[in-house]
Amino acid sequence: PGAAAPGAGGRVVDCGFQLHEAATHWPTCAPLYRDVIKEPATASGPGPVSTQAFTLNGGSGTHVAAPAHFVPAGRSVERLRPDELVNRPLAIIDVGGPFVAADYRCTKEDVVLDEKKHGPISAGSVVCVRTGWAAARYRDRDAYYNVTDWADVDPTLGLARLHFPGIDADAASHVCDRGAVALGIDTLSPEGGSTAAFPASGPSRIRAR
């Protein structure tokens, strides 16, 4: 359930997962590090009794990947205005989770079918693809990564190949053509885990420069 959004006529829903030292993260990212400088059990006043410092990778947890992540001249996250992503229409493309296949890619046909059911994606929308993958697997890191053959090495990552759903290039291009401002998915990456290329990030981030 979401909390009411003041003055917006809607509600605010937290779609993220708790971020902590043991949280699931992209496999090449260092996990979050927390340094407890002061804590109430051992500190006393005057002054603060609870102080912490954090170190984390930019790709940790639920996050926004700015155009600069793939586009050399693209905007970095601090150059994205809040009004570009906040209080926007939301379109959820449901591709059949939680039973979607591990290597499934959301296709343009999936998006078009959803538009026939719910109406076309409006310009300025945030579009999210729901596969059910995170809801079913996020709290089990091995299941979320879904490595099926440790000898099958992804040349891009230099790690055993992951298997999880993603979005194909035609679907991403169609969403961009509709004028969407953001494209998200409930997996580790829009690309899916079994490809060394970046089919979804290319069209979506290049048009968002």
Side-chain angles (χ1 to χ4, degrees), residues 15-19 22-29 59-63 98 100-103 105 129-148 150 157 160-166 184-194:
C15 295
F17 289 91
Q18 185 179 10
L19 189 60
T24 300
H25 51 81
W26 185 255
T28 58
C29 292
S60 300
T62 306
H63 65 279
V100 64
D103 291 324
R105 297 292 179 272
V129 175
R130 179 167 56 196
T131 69
W133 192 259
R137 295 172 177 249
Y138 180 81
R139 291 173 178 84
D140 181 340
R141 183 176 297 176
D142 289 342
Y144 195 53
Y145 289 168
N146 196 32
V147 174
T148 59
W150 289 95
L157 300 177
R161 192 179 304 278
L162 313 179
H163 293 267
F164 56 85
I185 192 170
D186 58 348
T187 68
L188 276 161
S189 166
E191 278 63 51
S194 61

Side-chain angles (χ1 to χ4, degrees), residues 60-78:
S60 300
T62 306
H63 65 279
V64 173
H69 190 42
F70 276 84
V71 182
R75 289 186 295 165
S76 48
V77 71
E78 78 278 3

Side-chain angles (χ1 to χ4, degrees), residues 30-83:
L32 179 146
Y33 173 75
R34 180 169 66 111
D35 181 15
V36 178
I37 301 169
K38 289 184 178 182
E39 56 184 342
T42 57
S44 59
V49 295
S50 180
T51 306
Q52 303 179 59
F54 298 89
T55 303
L56 73 159
N57 188 284
S60 300
T62 306
H63 65 279
V64 173
H69 190 42
F70 276 84
V71 182
R75 289 186 295 165
S76 48
V77 71
E78 78 278 3
R79 294 166 61 194
L80 301 179
R81 302 188 316 275
D83 64 282

Side-chain angles (χ1 to χ4, degrees), residues 93-177:
I93 311 299
D94 197 324
V95 295
F99 305 110
V100 64
D103 291 324
Y104 187 79
R105 297 292 179 272
C106 174
T107 65
K108 178 180 177 180
E109 289 71 25
D110 289 326
V111 181
V112 170
L113 179 61
D114 185 87
E115 289 183 301
K116 288 179 179 178
K117 292 179 180 178
H118 304 292
I121 296 168
S122 58
S125 294
V126 171
V127 177
C128 292
V129 175
R130 179 167 56 196
T131 69
W133 192 259
R137 295 172 177 249
Y138 180 81
R139 291 173 178 84
D140 181 340
R141 183 176 297 176
D142 289 342
Y144 195 53
Y145 289 168
N146 196 32
V147 174
T148 59
D149 181 359
W150 289 95
D152 179 16
V153 175
D154 184 327
T156 302
L157 300 177
L159 300 172
R161 192 179 304 278
L162 313 179
H163 293 267
F164 56 85
I167 305 167
D168 74 15
D170 287 343
S173 292
H174 179 74
V175 168
C176 289
D177 290 342

